[in-house]
Amino acid sequence: MSTQTLSVTGMTCQHCVAAVSEELRALDGVTGVAVELEPEGTSTVTVTAERPLTDEELTAALDEAGEYRLLDAP
């Protein structure tokens, strides 16, 4: 198992949390997503997966969810 903690900007509400969580859960191997929402700030997203996810996979999922940006690499 792999747990990665991400810093994500652009999340302002529970709709954002739902959109980001849905897209991350759709990635192959993801078993869990937890979000600590910081409206208008940097939210913390913890992703648990069967394998480490690449920056490209994470960025693509955030782009698909909306205008969210990954601040640092896992």
Side-chain angles (χ1 to χ4, degrees):
M1 282 302 228
S2 170
T3 300
Q4 295 169 265
T5 303
L6 317 172
S7 296
V8 178
T9 61
M11 299 174 69
T12 59
C13 64
Q14 289 303 315
H15 173 76
C16 298
V17 171
V20 167
S21 296
E22 179 181 350
E23 291 300 329
L24 289 171
R25 281 192 188 100
L27 293 175
D28 184 48
V30 172
T31 58
V33 176
V35 178
E36 293 177 36
L37 179 64
E38 289 295 332
E40 307 303 328
T42 302
S43 297
T44 301
V45 180
T46 304
V47 181
T48 305
E50 296 169 353
R51 63 182 174 79
L53 301 169
T54 66
D55 290 350
E56 291 78 18
E57 289 175 297
L58 296 167
T59 299
L62 292 174
D63 285 345
E64 189 67 30
E67 295 294 317
Y68 312 110
R69 295 289 169 256
L70 180 63
L71 281 189
D72 52 16

